[in-house]
Amino acid sequence: MLTGFLFLLFLTDGVYPERNCSYQDVLNHLNLTKNNELYSMSRPVKNYKQPTQVSLELLLYAILDVVEKDQKFIPYVWTVMRWQNEYISWDPNEFCGIDNVSLPTEVLWKPDLTIEEMTEKDKAPPSPYLTINNKGDVEVQNDQVLVSTCRMQIYNFPFDIQSCNLSFKSIIHTAKDIRLQPSDNSSEATEWSREVMRTQYEWLFIDMIVTANNVSDINNQDVVVYTITMKRRSVLYIVNFLVPIMFFLCLDLASFLISDSGGEKLSFKVTVLLAVTVLQLILNEILPSSSNKIPLIALYCIGIFALMLLSLLETIVVMYLMEKDSACQDNGADNDQNLSEDCSKQHKANLHNCLGEKHNWTECTCIYDVSTSETPCELLPVAKEENSRKLIEEFHALEQLSDDLREMEKTLSLLLSNKKEEEKPGYWTKVAKNVNRVFFIFYHREDRGVHELFRPLRVMMLAGFLFLLTLTGGSPFTEQPELSDDQQMSNDSVPESGGTYNDTEAQIDDDEIDTDSGETCSYQDILNYLNLTKNNDKFTLTRPVKDFRKPTKVHLQMVLYGILDVSEIDQTFVPYFWIYVKWENYHIDWRPNYFCKIEEVVVPNELLWKPDLTIEEMREKDKAPPSPYLTIDWNGGVTLLNDLAIVSMCRMQVYKFPFDIQSCNLTFKSTAYSDKEITFEAVEDRLKNTEWTRRLMRSQYEWLFISMTAENKTVHELTIQQSMIVYTIKMRRRSILYIANFLVPIMFFFGLDLASFLISDSGGEKIGFKVTVLLAVTVMQLILNEILPSSSDRIPLIAVYCIGMFGLMMLSLLETVVVMHLMQKDSASEDDEADKDHFNKKGKVSLHNHDGEMKKWTHCACVCDVSAEEPPSELLSMARESTESLLQGNSSQLTDESNALEKVSDELREVEKTLLLILNNKNEDGKPGYWTRMVKTINKFFFIFYVTVASLFLLVIFLMWNLAQDE
C-alpha cells in the first residue's frame, strides 16, 4: 500500500505542473476575462482613498517635422506606462515559474493619460497588448506620432533653439486618484533618446528635461512635462538665403563703379532690388506671424532692402543732376553755334563783295578771226569779254570749294567742342560726383552699422560656414534656449527630479487611509450596488429621467487652449479647447456613508447615456482623441471632460486686414433632442471664461486672444425648437509681419515711382524702370489674392490700397508714354526740317554745276600792254599767234582743273552731310522744340497732381484703417 501511495503521489506531482504551465491557467486563477468588469470598470484599488501610482517613461525616437508657420511640433516617441493593479497577484511557483503574462489592452483598466499639447489623434497604430506580472504591476508600451502645438521663438531664425513641451496628465482623474511621476531623470532620458534617435529632420536634438509638478488649476492634477530642446541646422538657410542677400548687397556696392551717364546702372540696381524682394516674399512664407518681435532675419532683409532702395534713389538723383548739367552745356553749344553761323554769313557776304568787284583789264584785246574788212577796234572787246568770263567761272568754283571747307571746319569744330565739353565736367556733374562719393561713404558706414546690428548673425553665419566646411556637426550656439512663459513657470516651480514629484496640494495623509475599518471601500461595490454593467441597457439606451416630461439640464463650460489655424481663403477656424459637460442621471444614487464616504466613481464613458452634443459650425470630425472615462457622483451627477480640435466654419470680415478683429462662433446644441428634452446652460460668466482661457492658452498662431463670451439661445430649426449655447471668440491679428513684408515694400515701390520723375524722358530707361516697379506691385497683389477670400461684402482696405497704388503707378506710366510720344513727334518734325534744308543745298549745288559748265572759246587771245609804237598788223598777228597757243594749252588745262575741283567739292559735301547728321543726332536734345517745351510743362503739372492725389489717397486709407468699425 505504501508503494502504491507513493506511486500515485508521483503521478499526481507529474500531472499538476503540466496542468498549470500555460498562461490560461494564470488567467483562470485570476478569473481574468473580458466579461469580468472588476478589472476594467474602475480604478484597480481595494481602498478608494489609496491613489494609483503611475510612472511614465518617454523616449524620443525621431523629430519628424517642425512647422513654424502653423506652430506645430511632430515627434515620434516611445512611451512606457506602469501602475499597480491590486486585484492581480499569483505565485509563480504554482504556475511553472510564470511571472508575467501579455494580455489584450481592453481587458484591464488603464490610466486616461493625455498630452495637453496634442491636437490630433495618434497617427501610429496603438499597441494591442499590455503586460502584467505576479506582483500586480501592469506595463503598457506604445509608440506614438504626435501632432502637438509648440510656441516657436523665431527671433534668432535660422540660428534659433526651440523648446517644445509634451505635458502628460489624466483627463478626468485628480491627484487624489492618480499620482503621476516620471521614472527617469533628465540626464537618463536625454542619453537614451540620443541612443535610439532615428531621424531629426533639419534639427539637432540637444536634451530633454523632465519635470513633475502639481498644477493648481481647476482640476488639481499631476502633470509630467517633457521639454525637448533642439537646435536648427542653419547651413542651408545660410547658403540659400543669407549669403545670396549679402551677394546682392555686394553687387549693389559694385554698381557704384558703373557710369552714371547711361541707363545701365539704373537697370542693374532695379534688378538687384527685385531679387531681394523675391527672397523677402519667400521668407514671408516661412516665418509665422505669431512673434511678438520682428525676427532678426526680417530686420536683416528690410535693412538690406532699404539700403538698396536708398542707393537706387541716389542714382536717380545723380542722373537727374547730370542731365541738368548736359542741358546747360547744350544751351551753351546752341549759342556758340548761332554765333558761328552769324560770323560765317558775315564772312561770306564780305567774300562775295570782294570777289564781285570787276578788275579793269586795260590794254587787253581779244582777236577773233580778223578779216580784212574788220577793224582792230571791233575785235579787241570780244577777246576781253571771253577772258573775263573764264576767270569769273574759275573764281566761282574756288568760292564753292571754300564754302564747303568752311562748313566742314565748322562741323568739326562743333564736334570737337562737344567732345571737350563732355570730357570737361560741368558744375552739376561735379556735384553728382561729390554726391556719389559722400553717399558711398555713408552707404558703407550704414552697411557697417547693419553688420554691427547683426553681429550675432555674422557670428552665426561664420559658425555655420565652418560647420559646412568641417562637417563635424559643431554647434554655432552655446547659449540656453529662450523658454516660453509656461515652460519657465513649470521649470521654476518644480526642480528637476528623477522619479519624484511635487505634491504640495494633493498630498494624501496616511492617517486618512483606514484599511482596517472593515467598511466597504471599493468602487466595484458601488457599481454592483447600482448594477452598472456593460449589459445593462437601462443606463445607455434612453435619456436618464424618471418622468419624460422633465427635461435634462446640461451644464456646459468651454476653455480655449489654443488657436491652431485661421484660414481666410477657406473661411475656417481651427480651435483646440476643453469642454466640461455635466448633467443629472436619475438612475444613479447611493449613500456615501455606506461606501466609506465614496462620493465619486470614474467609469468608462460607454456605460452611460450621454447628450448628443454637436457643434453647429463644425465641418470636420474631432481630431483629438476622445476621453475614455466620465465621472459619476452619489446624487446622480455625471461629468464629462473632453478635449476637442475641430475645423469649424467662420465668416471672416477682412475689410480691415491686416488690422482686423475676427469673431468666430462655436454653437453647442443637441442633434436630435428639442428644448423640451434637453436644455443647455453656461456654467461660468464671461470674465471667468476669458481669464481661464488666457491662463491656459498654449498657442495662438498669428492671433491675440481678446475675449470669449457665452450666450444661451432657443432657436426654432426645421421642425423642432432647440436650446443652444453660443460661444463667441474674439481675436486680433498680429499685423507686424504683414506691415514689414507687404505694406512697407509697396510704399517703397511707390517712392521709387515718385523718384522716376527725375529720370530723363529722352531715353527708354524711364519707361523700363516704371514698368519694372509696376510689375513688382502686381506680384504683391497676386500674393494678396492668395490670402484674402472672395466672400467679403466690401473690398478690403488693403486691396483698395494696392489697387490705388497700382492705379497711380499706371497713370504715371501712361503719362510717361504720352510724353515720350510728344517728344518723338518733336524729333520727327526736326528731322523733316533737316531733310528739307539738305534738299535746298543740293539744289544750289546742282545750279552751281550747271553754271560752271565751260564754254569752248576758240581762236581767242588776250593782248596786254600794247604800245602805241607797234603797228596794228603786227599786234594782230602777235595776238592771233598768242591766242591760238593759249587757247590750245589753257583751254584743256582749265577744263581738267574745273572737273577736278567739282569732284572734290562733291566729296566734301558728302563728308559735310555725314558730319552734320552725326552732330544733329548728338545734339538732337539740345534744341528744345515746341513739344519738348510742352512736355516739361506737362511733367511739372502732372507731378504736382500725382503727389497731391497720392497724399490724399494714403491719408484717407490710413484714416479708414484706424476709424472703421470692426464688424
Side-chain angles (χ1 to χ4, degrees):
M1 289 180 65
L2 180 61
T3 305
F5 176 75
L6 293 174
F7 178 73
L8 291 175
L9 182 62
F10 175 76
L11 291 177
T12 305
D13 291 338
V15 173
Y16 181 80
E18 184 177 350
R19 184 173 57 85
N20 293 307
C21 287
S22 69
Y23 293 121
Q24 189 62 42
D25 295 330
V26 177
L27 301 183
N28 293 337
H29 169 73
L30 297 174
N31 192 22
L32 184 55
T33 64
K34 291 184 178 180
N35 297 324
N36 191 345
E37 297 175 350
L38 174 67
Y39 292 98
S40 61
M41 291 285 289
S42 61
R43 191 165 57 88
V45 292
K46 295 178 180 179
N47 191 334
Y48 81 100
K49 294 182 180 180
Q50 181 67 39
T52 300
Q53 303 288 338
V54 179
S55 65
L56 181 65
E57 179 183 350
L58 183 138
L59 297 178
L60 182 62
Y61 263 38
I63 300 173
L64 301 182
D65 198 3
V66 177
V67 185
E68 296 85 357
K69 193 73 175 177
D70 298 333
Q71 302 276 280
K72 288 183 180 180
F73 171 53
I74 304 178
Y76 177 46
V77 298
W78 186 269
T79 59
V80 180
M81 191 165 48
R82 303 179 182 91
W83 69 94
Q84 179 75 26
N85 191 317
E86 296 181 3
Y87 299 120
I88 296 176
S89 177
W90 75 87
D91 185 4
N93 296 325
E94 297 179 0
F95 299 93
C96 300
I98 297 176
D99 58 359
N100 64 79
V101 179
S102 295
L103 299 173
T105 55
E106 63 270 10
V107 174
L108 294 180
W109 175 93
K110 300 177 294 296
D112 57 335
L113 291 190
T114 185
I115 301 174
E116 279 190 346
E117 294 81 11
M118 184 168 61
T119 60
E120 294 184 16
K121 296 179 181 180
D122 178 20
K123 295 183 178 181
S127 175
Y129 296 102
L130 50 77
T131 303
I132 60 174
N133 64 15
N134 62 302
K135 296 180 181 179
D137 295 329
V138 185
E139 181 180 291
V140 175
Q141 296 184 6
N142 207 355
D143 57 336
Q144 293 178 285
V145 177
L146 306 175
V147 179
S148 62
T149 62
C150 179
R151 186 173 181 181
M152 305 292 173
Q153 305 293 335
I154 56 167
Y155 182 69
N156 289 327
F157 180 90
F159 308 101
D160 51 330
I161 296 178
Q162 300 296 341
S163 295
C164 295
N165 288 348
L166 296 177
S167 303
F168 291 83
K169 70 170 188 177
S170 172
I171 297 176
I172 200 168
H173 291 91
T174 65
K176 293 182 179 181
D177 299 324
I178 291 180
R179 304 313 308 269
L180 186 61
Q181 57 184 347
S183 60
D184 300 321
N185 58 28
S186 299
S187 59
E188 292 174 345
T190 300
E191 186 65 26
W192 291 345
S193 295
R194 285 177 180 170
E195 290 179 1
V196 300
M197 186 70 68
R198 295 292 183 267
T199 179
Q200 302 184 51
Y201 189 51
E202 65 176 34
W203 299 85
L204 285 173
F205 173 71
I206 298 178
D207 59 19
M208 183 161 59
I209 300 173
V210 184
T211 56
N213 61 319
N214 195 240
V215 180
S216 302
D217 59 10
I218 56 176
N219 293 316
N220 194 22
Q221 295 173 315
D222 281 343
V223 179
V224 175
V225 181
Y226 289 87
T227 303
I228 300 170
T229 305
M230 51 197 171
K231 179 193 64 180
R232 191 188 304 272
R233 302 175 192 262
S234 57
V235 176
L236 283 181
Y237 290 98
I238 294 172
V239 173
N240 295 329
F241 198 89
L242 297 179
V243 173
I245 291 182
M246 190 61 66
F247 283 167
F248 289 136
L249 179 63
C250 294
L251 288 176
D252 194 70
L253 283 171
S255 66
F256 282 93
L257 302 177
I258 303 176
S259 174
D260 295 300
S261 58
E264 296 83 5
K265 185 174 182 178
L266 188 65
S267 302
F268 182 84
K269 283 182 174 288
V270 170
T271 305
V272 173
L273 188 66
L274 290 180
V276 176
T277 305
V278 172
L279 291 178
Q280 198 168 355
L281 294 176
I282 295 173
L283 179 65
N284 188 51
E285 294 296 322
I286 300 174
L287 298 181
S289 303
S290 58
S291 180
N292 295 325
K293 296 186 292 184
I294 299 178
L296 284 177
I297 192 170
L299 292 176
Y300 172 77
C301 292
I302 294 171
I304 298 297
F305 185 89
L307 286 174
M308 292 183 179
L309 179 67
L310 195 61
S311 173
L312 182 59
L313 293 176
E314 184 268 346
T315 300
I316 294 174
V317 171
V318 165
M319 292 181 66
Y320 170 74
L321 294 178
M322 295 186 69
E323 185 70 23
K324 188 175 181 181
D325 199 7
S326 177
C328 294
Q329 291 179 357
D330 291 338
N331 293 333
D334 293 338
N335 295 332
D336 294 340
Q337 185 176 0
N338 294 332
L339 182 61
S340 176
E341 289 177 355
D342 294 339
C343 293
S344 177
K345 290 178 180 179
Q346 184 68 26
H347 177 71
K348 186 179 289 186
N350 295 334
L351 182 64
H352 276 290
N353 293 333
C354 178
L355 293 177
E357 295 179 354
K358 292 184 178 181
H359 295 278
N360 292 325
W361 298 91
T362 58
E363 300 178 359
C364 180
T365 58
C366 180
I367 310 300
Y368 180 77
D369 294 336
V370 180
S371 61
T372 54
S373 61
E374 293 178 343
T375 60
C377 60
E378 294 176 355
L379 296 175
L380 289 175
V382 174
K384 184 176 182 180
E385 182 180 356
E386 293 296 335
N387 237 352
S388 177
R389 184 177 299 173
K390 289 181 179 181
L391 290 175
I392 289 172
E393 289 176 353
E394 185 175 351
F395 277 120
H396 276 302
L398 291 175
E399 179 186 357
Q400 183 65 33
L401 181 60
S402 176
D403 291 341
D404 293 340
L405 288 175
R406 287 190 189 95
E407 291 294 330
M408 185 181 297
E409 180 184 7
K410 181 176 67 175
T411 304
L412 289 175
S413 298
L414 288 175
L415 287 175
L416 291 176
S417 63
N418 288 338
K419 186 175 181 181
K420 289 180 180 179
E421 288 174 357
E422 289 178 356
E423 293 176 355
K424 181 181 179 181
Y427 171 74
W428 291 112
T429 304
K430 294 178 182 178
V431 171
K433 289 183 178 180
N434 292 331
V435 170
N436 255 340
R437 190 175 296 110
V438 172
F439 183 79
F440 180 78
I441 297 172
F442 165 77
Y443 192 66
H444 180 64
R445 289 185 179 274
E446 285 294 320
D447 186 38
R448 289 177 59 188
V450 171
H451 284 287
E452 290 295 329
L453 179 61
F454 298 103
R455 182 180 295 273
L457 280 177
R458 292 197 299 171
V459 175
M460 297 169 191
M461 288 174 61
L462 180 60
F465 278 119
L466 292 177
F467 171 78
L468 179 64
L469 293 175
T470 59
L471 295 176
T472 59
S475 172
F477 265 95
T478 57
E479 67 266 18
Q480 292 298 322
E482 181 181 355
L483 299 179
S484 61
D485 297 337
D486 53 346
Q487 296 168 2
Q488 189 64 41
M489 182 176 61
S490 300
N491 292 342
D492 291 342
S493 60
V494 180
E496 180 182 332
S497 61
T500 62
Y501 55 91
N502 187 352
D503 53 357
T504 56
E505 294 189 8
Q507 184 67 36
I508 301 175
D509 296 333
D510 294 336
D511 297 336
E512 296 180 3
I513 303 175
D514 187 7
T515 58
D516 297 330
S517 62
E519 299 179 6
T520 302
C521 296
S522 170
Y523 293 122
Q524 190 61 39
D525 293 331
I526 296 177
L527 300 182
N528 293 336
Y529 169 77
L530 296 173
N531 193 23
L532 184 56
T533 64
K534 294 180 180 178
N535 299 322
N536 193 343
D537 296 338
K538 173 184 176 181
F539 293 96
T540 58
L541 291 182
T542 60
R543 191 165 55 89
V545 292
K546 294 180 180 180
D547 185 358
F548 77 96
R549 289 169 294 187
K550 187 175 183 179
T552 300
K553 290 185 178 181
V554 179
H555 302 275
L556 179 67
Q557 180 184 2
M558 188 186 82
V559 177
L560 186 63
Y561 262 43
I563 300 172
L564 304 183
D565 193 10
V566 177
S567 175
E568 294 84 1
I569 197 73
D570 297 329
Q571 300 278 280
T572 57
F573 170 53
V574 184
Y576 175 50
F577 57 92
W578 284 75
I579 58 171
Y580 168 85
V581 185
K582 188 173 182 178
W583 66 94
E584 295 292 330
N585 190 319
Y586 288 95
H587 302 310
I588 297 175
D589 184 26
W590 76 86
R591 297 291 180 88
N593 294 331
Y594 295 166
F595 300 93
C596 299
K597 297 183 180 180
I598 296 177
E599 296 181 351
E600 294 180 347
V601 178
V602 177
V603 296
N605 58 15
E606 64 268 11
L607 294 183
L608 296 176
W609 174 93
K610 298 178 292 296
D612 57 338
L613 196 64
T614 186
I615 300 175
E616 201 172 58
E617 293 81 9
M618 184 169 60
R619 53 180 285 184
E620 291 184 17
K621 293 182 179 181
D622 176 25
K623 296 182 179 181
S627 172
Y629 298 106
L630 49 77
T631 303
I632 59 176
D633 58 33
W634 63 275
N635 59 356
V638 184
T639 303
L640 174 65
L641 287 175
N642 206 358
D643 58 333
L644 300 173
I646 65 170
V647 179
S648 65
M649 298 176 291
C650 179
R651 185 172 183 181
M652 305 292 172
Q653 304 294 337
V654 294
Y655 180 67
K656 293 181 64 176
F657 179 91
F659 307 102
D660 51 329
I661 296 178
Q662 299 296 341
S663 296
C664 294
N665 293 340
L666 295 177
T667 305
F668 293 86
K669 69 172 188 175
S670 171
T671 305
Y673 293 100
S674 67
D675 61 339
K676 295 181 179 180
E677 297 171 302
I678 290 181
T679 59
F680 290 96
E681 292 183 2
V683 176
E684 298 291 345
D685 57 6
R686 169 183 175 182
L687 295 179
K688 284 192 175 182
N689 280 334
T690 301
E691 180 183 353
W692 284 346
T693 296
R694 285 177 180 170
R695 187 157 56 92
L696 298 174
M697 185 70 69
R698 293 291 185 267
S699 174
Q700 300 187 53
Y701 192 50
E702 65 177 35
W703 299 85
L704 284 173
F705 173 75
I706 298 176
S707 64
M708 183 170 63
T709 60
E711 181 184 2
N712 292 314
K713 284 186 177 181
T714 301
V715 180
H716 185 81
E717 292 193 359
L718 298 179
T719 59
I720 61 175
Q721 190 165 333
Q722 290 183 311
S723 173
M724 60 181 62
I725 297 179
V726 180
Y727 282 91
T728 302
I729 301 168
K730 293 188 70 174
M731 50 196 171
R732 182 190 300 274
R733 190 188 304 272
R734 301 175 193 259
S735 58
I736 187 168
L737 279 183
Y738 290 100
I739 295 173
N741 294 329
F742 197 88
L743 298 181
V744 172
I746 290 181
M747 189 61 68
F748 282 169
F749 290 134
F750 177 69
L752 289 178
D753 193 71
L754 278 177
S756 66
F757 281 92
L758 300 177
I759 303 175
S760 174
D761 295 301
S762 58
E765 296 87 2
K766 185 173 182 178
I767 192 169
F769 180 84
K770 282 182 173 290
V771 169
T772 305
V773 173
L774 192 65
L775 289 179
V777 175
T778 306
V779 171
M780 292 287 188
Q781 203 164 356
L782 291 176
I783 295 173
L784 181 65
N785 188 51
E786 296 294 326
I787 300 174
L788 299 181
S790 304
S791 58
S792 182
D793 296 330
R794 292 186 292 175
I795 301 177
L797 287 177
I798 192 170
V800 176
Y801 171 77
C802 292
I803 293 171
M805 289 296 185
F806 186 87
L808 287 173
M809 293 182 185
M810 177 67 75
L811 192 62
S812 173
L813 180 61
L814 292 177
E815 187 266 349
T816 302
V817 173
V818 172
V819 162
M820 293 184 68
H821 170 71
L822 295 178
M823 293 187 68
Q824 187 69 26
K825 188 176 180 180
D826 203 1
S827 176
S829 63
E830 290 178 358
D831 292 339
D832 293 339
E833 291 179 0
D835 293 339
K836 186 176 181 180
D837 294 339
H838 177 68
F839 178 77
N840 293 333
K841 288 182 179 180
K842 189 173 180 181
K844 291 180 180 180
V845 170
S846 61
L847 182 60
H848 278 294
N849 291 336
H850 178 73
D851 292 339
E853 290 179 355
M854 300 293 295
K855 294 180 180 180
K856 294 181 180 180
W857 296 92
T858 58
H859 309 287
C860 181
C862 182
V863 182
C864 300
D865 299 334
V866 180
S867 62
E869 297 177 356
E870 294 179 357
S873 58
E874 295 178 358
L875 292 174
L876 289 175
S877 61
M878 291 175 60
R880 183 183 294 272
E881 291 176 1
S882 60
T883 299
E884 290 178 356
S885 62
L886 285 173
L887 288 176
Q888 291 176 358
N890 292 337
S891 176
S892 60
Q893 183 177 358
L894 288 174
T895 302
D896 293 339
E897 289 179 356
S898 177
N899 291 334
L901 288 175
E902 288 180 6
K903 186 175 181 181
V904 171
S905 178
D906 292 338
E907 292 176 355
L908 289 176
R909 289 191 190 96
E910 292 297 327
V911 173
E912 179 187 4
K913 179 181 177 182
T914 303
L915 292 176
L916 285 174
L917 289 175
I918 294 175
L919 185 62
N920 288 333
N921 291 332
K922 191 174 184 62
N923 295 327
E924 60 181 0
D925 295 331
K927 294 181 178 181
Y930 171 75
W931 292 113
T932 304
R933 293 191 298 271
M934 288 296 297
V935 159
K936 292 182 179 180
T937 305
I938 292 172
N939 264 339
K940 290 179 182 178
F941 281 104
F942 183 79
F943 180 78
I944 296 172
F945 166 78
Y946 190 66
V947 173
T948 304
V949 172
S951 301
L952 292 175
F953 171 74
L954 293 175
L955 180 63
V956 171
I957 282 292
F958 288 122
L959 285 177
M960 293 178 69
W961 252 321
N962 290 327
L963 301 179
Q965 296 294 327
D966 296 310
E967 300 180 6

